[in-house]
Amino acid sequence: LKVWPVGSRGQAAIAATLEARRRLRQGASLAAVRVYADEGAYKHLVRPEAWSPSSRTQADHSLPYIVAAAVRYGEVSSDSFTADAISDAELQDLLGRTTVEVDDALTEGSAGGFPARVELEDEEGNVVSATVRQAPGHLQNPMTDGQVDDKFVHLAVPALGADSAERLRSGVRNLEAVTDVAGLVRHLAVGESR
């Protein structure tokens, strides 16, 4: 399972960005965002249009965009890929200050988790960085039950409502104790058919 709604090649870069962002001095203005990537991630997620995506597909297949979104919003979710999010002036400004290059020391491919290092430099020249070798969700770093639950609830609530999403989450977590599977399945109904 992946934590964030982008391909596996971008997961470590998001995790590294969020970690570096936590280390950044509160209120710091960024001068530069530098991404050092696995060669496979670079080849798949860095193209000329990566700095100016105009659709969800272009944005979620853009290493500079997903890193800039993680810096800007403090998370990467389906909301990070709306037309408003993509065209956000502050995010576009961050994209203009984002560079990406291959780091041979990080090139391990899918077995290695497409590692990434992200450096955030503020306008005073202070640099914070983080390196992630295997993002949460990688075989060597599986998502916790809490992370899976959080992802399910985030995705399910808009379609099913909070009550049905929670009943499904709880029911699946305790499936061996469920005596009425049909009752549980009814919470999968979307809209008025519930």
Side-chain angles (χ1 to χ4, degrees), residues 14 41 44 82-83 112 121 166 173:
I14 294 170
H44 190 74
T82 64
E121 181 177 348
E166 177 52 30
R173 283 279 174 223

Side-chain angles (χ1 to χ4, degrees), residues 23-143:
R23 297 175 184 171
L24 195 62
R25 182 180 50 80
Q26 182 124 8
S29 295
L30 290 180
V33 178
R34 292 184 288 272
V35 183
Y36 301 92
D38 169 276
E39 183 177 17
Y42 185 93
K43 285 180 177 178
H44 190 74
L45 298 173
V46 180
R47 297 184 176 99
E49 67 273 10
W51 278 268
S52 56
S54 59
S55 69
R56 177 190 167 80
T57 301
Q58 287 179 343
D60 72 17
H61 284 77
S62 163
L63 192 56
Y65 179 86
I66 62 177
V67 167
V71 171
R72 167 73 173 104
Y73 301 119
E75 67 172 357
V76 175
S77 70
S78 53
D79 294 338
S80 305
F81 302 103
T82 64
D84 287 343
I86 292 169
S87 64
D88 177 76
E90 188 173 332
L91 186 129
Q92 290 296 315
D93 184 53
L94 279 169
L95 267 171
R97 290 181 275 135
T98 300
T99 60
V100 183
E101 62 184 78
V102 172
D103 183 336
D104 291 335
L106 295 172
T107 297
E108 299 178 8
S110 62
F114 298 107
R117 182 175 74 252
V118 173
E119 295 178 351
L120 305 177
E121 181 177 348
D122 69 21
E123 291 180 343
E124 296 172 3
N126 302 306
V127 177
V128 295
S129 69
T131 301
V132 171
R133 298 204 90 69
Q134 289 108 8
H138 184 270
L139 183 62
Q140 301 301 319
N141 187 15
M143 289 173 67

Side-chain angles (χ1 to χ4, degrees), residues 134-189:
Q134 289 108 8
H138 184 270
L139 183 62
Q140 301 301 319
N141 187 15
M143 289 173 67
T144 65
D145 287 349
Q147 288 171 317
V148 172
D149 287 352
D150 290 347
K151 182 173 182 174
F152 172 77
V153 168
H154 176 78
L155 295 172
V157 166
L160 304 174
D163 183 60
S164 287
E166 177 52 30
R167 287 177 189 257
L168 279 167
R169 186 207 62 76
S170 177
V172 169
R173 283 279 174 223
N174 301 294
L175 198 54
E176 64 281 350
V178 172
T179 57
D180 179 16
V181 174
L184 182 61
V185 171
R186 275 193 288 281
H187 291 289
L188 289 171

